[in-house]
Amino acid sequence: MAFKSSPLSCVKWRLNFRSVWPFLLFLGCLSHIVFGQIRYTIPEELKRGSLIGNVAQDLGLDVQRLRSGRARIVTRQSIQFTELKTDKGILVVNERIDREQLCGDVTPCSFSFEVILENPMELHRVTVEITDINDNSPTFRKEEMKFEISESATLGSRFLLASAEDADVGSNGLQKYILNTNDMFGLKQHSSPDGRKYAEMVLQKPLDRESEPKISLKLIAIDGGTPHRSGTVNIDITVLDVNDNPPVFNQSFYRAAVLENSLRGTYITTVNASDADIGSNGLVTYRFSNMKEQLADIFHLDESMGTITLAGHLDYEKEKKHEIMIEATDQGGLIDSSKVLIEIIDVNDNAPVINVMSFSSPVPEDSPSGTTVAIINVIDADSEQNGQISCATDSALPFKVKSTITNYYALITVSAFDRELEPEYNITVRASDSGTPSLSSTTVLRLRISDVNDNAPLFDENSYLAYITENNSPGMSIFSVSARDSDWNQNARISYFLEETQISGNPTSSYVSINAETGTIHAVRSFDYEQLKELTFLVRAQDGGSPPLSSNASVKIIIQDQNDNPPQVLYPVQTGGSLVAEMVPRSADVGYLVTKVVAVDVDSGQNAWLSYKLQKATDRALFEVGLQNGEIRTIRQVTDKDAVKQRLTVIVEDNGQPSRSATVVVNVAVADSFPEVLSEFTELTHDKEYNDNLTFYLVLALAVVSFLFITCLVVIISVKIYRWRQSRILYHSNLPVIPYYPPRYSDTLGTGTLPRVYNYEVCRTTDSRKSDCKFDRAGSQNVLIMDPSSTGTMQRIQSEKSILDEPDSPLEVSFSFSAL
Ligand SMILES: *[C@@H]1O[C@H](CO)[C@@H](O)[C@H](O)[C@H]1NC(C)=O
Ligand SMILES: *[C@@H]1O[C@H](CO)[C@@H](O)[C@H](O)[C@H]1NC(C)=O
């Protein structure tokens, strides 16, 4: 299609291309030019060299003309899209032609150029219309689209999607959008007034973040070309959480067990509730609900972790389990609850408690075995094994524990007691439970055993022996007996008594007494060894029990001698009135036994051991005295020169400490005949007048003696009667004892000391001053009794005594005997 252009269009061009084409403008306006117009239509994007059209043919020109006319293309465009092949007269594509680049949205899209020929000048317009091919895909500006949609978004909510662009036009442009298949969203397409197409996403199903927190979709934009081209964009949808889920416990019931002795902070269990929501909506806190106040101190629940720990003390004995409600709350206030059962495991943490219900102390020692002493109650707060009690006591002690009824035990005796061996018992009662380890507790019962009078007093010795020296003061304590009683108190309180026995016919109590409290034995009287040598009696110790028990012991008291008696000279008899002389014939040889001094000592032992010494003598050279036997012997021949009358003083000493002594005067007449002796002894009497007077006195004395005799007779009879009546009372006499010793014995024994057996042949009278015993057995021929009454010359005769001691009255002597 060719057309001729008008000058107007030249102007127009000029306007359009003012400076570029002045030359063309010049040609067009100043010469008569042939104009042709050709129009080609080609698709875009042809390859270089592709044929656009046969210009020569279309313009009606031959190839020669083109060549000669030096046909060429004049174009206003910077890019030479086309090339004229003058040799073939065709127009080919010189450069890639992109419609979109060339025209954009403008349709139809074309460009024009002129083909100029010279000689003659010809100007032909060629317009090439470029048709669209679908060479562009719809594109989205962004690579992805992001949405945050709350899960609570209502159905039908619409979300505008970014639109895609397609550079192609017409049917090759964007035709529609497609959303990849999903249940959630639908797509709604719209066209804007300017023809642009856009789409909206419409919520078709409720969102649930918990099941699908993110949704990825693809939006595809499709053009209408053939084949279709498309562009895709990802749509990322983040579903925003809404607190639409309550927390949920993973167990509806929790069970835990904890030892009752667990420490604070001990872990018990963890509860767990999950919340499907996220963030604060899913943040669960825990707490106890409806809990008893006291439990709040015992258990602690970690708000956020849900761990339950021990915060206080558990006591199985108070509560065996705890059931606690727990609530889990999310921040949005949604709640779930569950239950926790905490079982407490018994621990043997309670020792048995012993209560003594009754205890009898003291118990009498004679209680039979099997006596119940105490009743004990034992309680253990623990349960089962931990609370199973066994009760026992020290097996060394005579007690055992007997179970009676549950938790009650009786402490009974298994043997008899003896307070004297064990006055008390500390009985340890131990109660143990059967836990592991076992706990036990003990209690000590102090049982006292009360006394029963089962022991008699016991003397330290079975028999006592004591000594006392005679002549003790009455009331003197001799010694003490003592007895022990192993009983207690009153039962051991000992009193001492004398058993009523007789000693020499007198009651013991008249000799000794005993202090009932102390057991001290006192002498009641002064003892005389010469009378009583020993005392034997029984003492009794008696306790204060009821009935009392007693025992006895024998006591022997030996009275010891004291040198309280001087020797007594039995021979020669010492008389004041009469003169006794031993005759020694002048013819006597040396060693002639003149006489023997006989003395006794009623004491005994050393105290009675006598010795004889010559104290004074007329002629010391003539006589000697046997130290031991008291024999007086001549030690030289008697001569005529020796005086008739010899006077010897012999001292008799005992061996006591201090010693006691007696002297005796022995008259010895050295003569051959009695008259010689007489005359000699008569010479001794010097006073004649005195002798005359003496005759008178003798008569007087005879009268007095007669009187005294009668008086004595009366007295003695009365005494006899009195004794007969008072024989039991009158026992003791203070009267001196004069031993009777027949002189004859002195020879047979050969010693001055008489054996004891004779010493007690005594003679007693009521009055020593008035009367005495005489044993006048002048059996020896040597004995000469000088009677002053017959001689009347004795100067030494003393008045009263001489009368009383009248030796020549045989009647008196015989009386003395008969009086006994
Ligand atoms: C018993 O116990 C007491 C005090 O605990 C103690 O004085 C006493 O000597 C004890 N007796 C025995 C027999 O052990
Ligand atoms: C002294 O005790 C003995 C036994 O100890 C007894 O046989 C005797 O009869 C008792 N004597 C008196 C006098 O009680």
Side-chain angles (χ1 to χ4, degrees):
M1 273 184 282
F3 65 92
K4 294 197 174 144
S5 60
S6 64
L8 190 67
S9 53
C10 282
V11 174
K12 201 172 169 183
W13 285 347
R14 194 185 170 182
L15 286 173
N16 286 349
F17 306 98
R18 309 167 284 222
S19 54
V20 182
W21 301 100
F23 174 66
L24 284 176
L25 197 63
F26 171 74
L27 286 174
C29 294
L30 295 179
S31 46
H32 301 323
I33 308 162
V34 178
F35 296 100
Q37 196 158 5
I38 316 162
R39 190 176 188 89
Y40 296 104
T41 300
I42 56 163
E44 59 177 330
E45 306 282 355
L46 288 178
K47 275 186 211 156
R48 193 171 173 192
S50 298
L51 175 71
I52 298 170
N54 196 331
V55 176
Q57 193 181 344
D58 291 340
L59 291 176
L61 304 170
D62 63 19
V63 179
Q64 286 303 321
R65 172 62 188 136
L66 287 178
R67 210 174 288 151
S68 61
R70 290 199 303 166
R72 62 183 183 270
I73 288 172
V74 179
T75 180
R76 300 175 298 261
Q77 269 144 345
S78 54
I79 303 162
Q80 196 72 41
F81 289 117
T82 56
E83 188 189 351
L84 185 65
K85 301 275 187 193
T86 50
D87 52 342
K88 292 175 186 166
I90 55 167
L91 198 64
V92 295
V93 174
N94 186 40
E95 284 288 331
R96 177 180 157 260
I97 306 163
D98 184 5
R99 192 204 65 82
E100 283 77 26
Q101 200 176 0
L102 199 61
C103 305
D105 283 346
V106 179
T107 50
C109 175
S110 59
F111 61 90
S112 300
F113 54 90
E114 275 76 35
V115 176
I116 295 173
L117 293 152
E118 294 172 15
N119 304 323
M121 181 158 305
E122 282 177 58
L123 191 66
H124 302 282
R125 163 155 299 199
V126 178
T127 302
V128 179
E129 188 184 334
I130 309 296
T131 56
D132 188 37
I133 64 161
N134 195 20
D135 59 346
N136 287 290
S137 299
T139 52
F140 289 95
R141 200 164 294 147
K142 287 192 269 179
E143 280 180 4
E144 57 173 11
M145 282 185 276
K146 287 188 189 290
F147 288 95
E148 288 188 337
I149 305 171
S150 165
E151 59 179 325
S152 64
T154 51
L155 293 184
S157 300
R158 294 191 286 183
F159 304 91
L160 183 65
L161 300 176
S163 48
E165 316 251 313
D166 194 329
D168 297 326
V169 293
S171 64
N172 288 336
L174 178 68
Q175 292 303 308
K176 60 171 178 181
Y177 293 100
I178 297 172
L179 200 57
N180 71 330
T181 323
N182 75 94
D183 329 333
M184 295 290 174
F185 294 96
L187 199 65
K188 199 165 182 185
Q189 313 210 18
H190 300 279
S191 293
S192 59
D194 62 356
R196 288 184 50 183
K197 288 190 165 66
Y198 65 92
E200 281 176 335
M201 210 164 52
V202 181
L203 186 63
Q204 290 175 332
K205 244 182 112 180
L207 290 172
D208 184 10
R209 190 205 63 76
E210 285 70 39
S211 58
E212 212 170 351
K214 281 202 189 302
I215 302 171
S216 287
L217 296 176
K218 274 192 164 63
L219 181 66
I220 307 163
I222 300 174
D223 60 19
T226 312
H228 294 303
R229 280 179 167 266
S230 64
T232 306
V233 68
N234 287 329
I235 304 173
D236 284 338
I237 301 167
T238 304
V239 181
L240 294 182
D241 187 49
V242 164
N243 192 22
D244 55 348
N245 287 288
V248 177
F249 278 105
N250 55 2
Q251 291 175 34
S252 62
F253 183 69
Y254 294 89
R255 209 183 177 110
V258 62
L259 294 175
E260 65 170 323
N261 64 347
S262 300
L263 299 175
R264 269 162 209 248
T266 301
Y267 169 84
I268 297 172
T269 188
T270 302
V271 294
N272 185 25
S274 49
D275 192 312
D277 298 322
I278 56 161
S280 66
N281 291 333
L283 199 63
V284 181
T285 56
Y286 303 92
R287 64 186 177 89
F288 291 125
S289 71
N290 300 329
M291 190 160 75
K292 280 185 271 175
E293 206 169 301
Q294 62 264 35
L295 289 186
D297 300 332
I298 297 179
F299 298 107
H300 174 256
L301 176 60
D302 187 286
E303 240 185 26
S304 53
M305 305 299 292
T307 47
I308 299 175
T309 51
L310 194 61
H313 286 293
L314 293 171
D315 190 354
Y316 178 85
E317 285 66 43
K318 276 191 198 153
E319 200 93 49
K320 298 184 170 37
K321 58 183 180 185
H322 296 287
E323 209 171 292
I324 312 170
M325 296 293 295
I326 318 170
E327 273 180 7
T329 315
D330 64 18
Q331 299 301 83
L334 296 178
I335 289 172
D336 188 22
S337 64
S338 181
K339 218 188 266 179
V340 179
L341 176 68
I342 300 173
E343 286 171 321
I344 294 156
I345 302 166
D346 188 34
V347 168
N348 194 17
D349 57 347
N350 288 287
V353 177
I354 301 176
N355 297 307
V356 178
M357 308 306 280
S358 85
F359 177 46
S360 48
S361 175
V363 294
E365 59 179 319
D366 60 355
S367 304
S369 101
T371 304
T372 299
V373 173
I375 300 283
I376 294 162
N377 170 244
V378 185
I379 296 167
D380 192 309
D382 295 320
S383 65
E384 305 198 353
Q385 290 288 325
N386 294 339
Q388 219 151 61
I389 299 158
S390 62
C391 203
T393 184
D394 186 357
S395 58
L397 300 182
F399 301 94
K400 71 175 180 191
V401 172
K402 208 172 103 185
S403 172
T404 55
I405 47 175
T406 318
N407 293 344
Y408 279 88
Y409 299 89
L411 183 66
I412 61 173
T413 64
V414 294
S415 68
F417 299 123
D418 186 0
R419 191 203 64 81
E420 286 71 37
L421 286 175
E422 289 280 356
E424 64 170 19
Y425 293 94
N426 285 337
I427 311 162
T428 304
V429 177
R430 173 182 295 272
S432 326
D433 58 29
S434 309
T436 327
S438 157
L439 292 178
S440 65
S441 55
T442 58
T443 191
V444 177
L445 299 173
R446 189 171 178 183
L447 179 70
R448 282 178 294 116
I449 309 298
S450 63
D451 189 45
V452 166
N453 192 22
D454 54 354
N455 287 286
L458 271 183
F459 278 102
D460 296 345
E461 289 165 44
N462 278 337
S463 57
Y464 291 89
L465 183 63
Y467 297 89
I468 182 169
T469 311
E470 61 175 335
N471 300 323
N472 58 295
S473 52
M476 185 182 124
S477 77
I478 303 170
F479 82 113
S480 288
V481 295
S482 83
R484 270 164 238 289
D485 192 312
S486 43
D487 290 322
W488 182 74
N489 205 13
Q490 195 63 29
N491 291 337
R493 198 186 173 116
I494 298 173
S495 306
Y496 300 92
F497 302 97
L498 286 178
E499 289 288 0
E500 270 310 318
T501 47
Q502 300 263 316
I503 297 171
S504 311
N506 292 314
T508 312
S509 57
S510 65
Y511 293 96
V512 288
S513 68
I514 188 164
N515 185 316
E517 290 279 311
T518 63
T520 306
I521 294 173
H522 296 271
V524 168
R525 60 166 82 167
S526 180
F527 294 116
D528 186 357
Y529 174 83
E530 285 70 35
Q531 280 178 38
L532 191 60
K533 300 226 164 9
E534 59 176 46
L535 295 163
T536 305
F537 53 90
L538 285 174
V539 289
R540 178 161 50 89
Q542 178 174 310
D543 64 25
S546 169
L549 297 173
S550 65
S551 64
N552 59 41
S554 74
V555 177
K556 184 174 187 176
I557 296 174
I558 291 175
I559 297 159
Q560 286 180 315
D561 185 41
Q562 222 179 18
N563 194 20
D564 57 345
N565 289 291
Q568 271 189 330
V569 179
L570 298 182
Y571 185 86
V573 178
Q574 294 295 294
T575 60
S578 61
L579 190 65
V580 181
E582 307 292 337
M583 285 262 290
V584 176
R586 286 193 183 272
S587 58
D589 281 336
V590 174
Y592 177 83
L593 176 64
V594 178
T595 187
K596 180 179 165 83
V597 177
V598 178
V600 290
D601 194 314
V602 290
D603 296 323
S604 64
Q606 294 279 325
N607 294 337
W609 204 358
L610 300 181
S611 56
Y612 302 84
K613 282 174 201 151
L614 191 58
Q615 194 181 34
K616 261 196 280 180
T618 312
D619 186 351
R620 267 194 170 275
L622 189 55
F623 301 103
E624 66 165 12
V625 177
L627 183 65
Q628 303 295 330
N629 53 21
E631 285 174 353
I632 302 172
R633 290 175 185 272
T634 57
I635 49 173
R636 67 170 167 80
Q637 191 70 47
V638 181
T639 62
D640 290 346
K641 287 175 198 140
D642 291 323
V644 172
K645 194 176 148 222
Q646 297 281 341
R647 189 182 164 87
L648 308 174
T649 306
V650 175
I651 181 163
V652 185
E653 281 179 340
D654 63 24
N655 205 25
Q657 281 295 338
S659 79
R660 286 168 172 264
S661 63
T663 54
V664 61
V665 175
V666 179
N667 291 314
V668 178
V670 182
D672 283 332
S673 63
F674 193 66
E676 187 185 354
V677 177
L678 262 185
S679 65
E680 189 61 35
F681 273 82
T682 313
E683 282 170 18
L684 295 169
T685 327
H686 305 292
D687 198 343
K688 254 292 193 209
E689 274 182 19
Y690 182 79
N691 279 347
D692 287 341
N693 287 342
L694 198 68
T695 314
F696 166 72
Y697 288 129
L698 282 171
V699 173
L700 191 68
L702 210 65
V704 171
V705 164
S706 306
F707 170 73
L708 280 173
F709 171 67
I710 292 161
T711 313
C712 279
L713 210 63
V714 171
V715 166
I716 284 166
I717 289 165
S718 0
V719 164
K720 277 270 185 186
I721 293 164
Y722 180 74
R723 272 197 184 173
W724 175 74
R725 293 182 63 177
Q726 296 281 322
S727 59
R728 289 204 176 267
I729 303 161
L730 181 66
Y731 173 76
H732 184 78
S733 162
N734 292 325
L735 297 177
V737 178
I738 299 171
Y740 159 63
Y741 172 69
R744 182 170 292 169
Y745 281 105
S746 60
D747 282 337
T748 54
L749 291 169
T751 171
T753 305
L754 285 178
R756 205 179 281 169
V757 282
Y758 299 111
N759 290 0
Y760 284 82
E761 288 186 30
V762 293
C763 166
R764 290 161 203 230
T765 63
T766 49
D767 191 348
S768 64
R769 281 164 57 88
K770 298 278 163 148
S771 173
D772 204 347
C773 288
K774 299 287 187 301
F775 309 104
D776 195 2
R777 296 271 195 90
S780 166
Q781 290 162 338
N782 300 337
V783 176
L784 178 67
I785 298 172
M786 304 294 287
D787 193 349
S789 61
S790 58
T791 61
T793 56
M794 295 295 287
Q795 289 183 328
R796 291 163 56 107
I797 295 171
Q798 300 301 310
S799 58
E800 228 175 47
K801 258 190 186 159
S802 62
I803 296 162
L804 289 168
D805 296 342
E806 198 69 68
D808 67 337
S809 72
L811 182 65
E812 190 183 347
V813 172
S814 61
F815 148 66
S816 293
F817 274 103
S818 64
L820 276 167

